Amino acid sequence: MQSRLSSFIESMANVLIGYFVSLLVQLAVYPLYGATFTFRQNVEIGLIFMVVAIVRSYVIRRWFNARIHAAALRLAGE
């Protein structure tokens, strides 16, 4: 079973990598749709989505971890 801290660290690593990828995508895609933002605004927008992604990833990971643990206990007959 994965600890809450391990779940959080894994979620953070995943989201941080995703943040930098999304920042690059934002810089390329927004102008294609006529949206113009400064670099700072792109960073801020990305940070908002990053916080949401961290919470989402952590909650989903903990939910799945609890379900897997409960299933393992059922299979073990406990």
Side-chain angles (χ1 to χ4, degrees):
M1 188 161 154
Q2 190 176 36
S3 72
R4 287 184 174 94
L5 180 60
S6 293
S7 293
F8 179 73
I9 291 170
E10 183 177 337
S11 295
M12 283 292 294
N14 183 26
V15 172
L16 282 172
I17 292 167
Y19 170 75
F20 289 108
V21 171
S22 70
L23 182 59
L24 293 173
V25 172
Q26 283 172 218
L27 293 170
V29 172
Y30 285 170
L32 295 175
Y33 287 90
T36 54
F37 298 102
T38 65
F39 182 75
R40 180 185 172 104
Q41 288 171 321
N42 272 295
V43 168
E44 291 170 352
I45 291 167
L47 288 172
I48 292 166
F49 284 108
M50 184 179 77
V51 169
V52 171
I54 290 169
V55 172
R56 181 201 68 224
S57 179
Y58 178 79
V59 168
I60 290 170
R61 177 161 296 286
R62 296 308 305 162
W63 182 74
F64 272 103
N65 195 21
R67 294 207 40 183
I68 289 169
H69 182 69
L73 289 176
R74 280 193 305 275
L75 286 173
E78 294 181 24

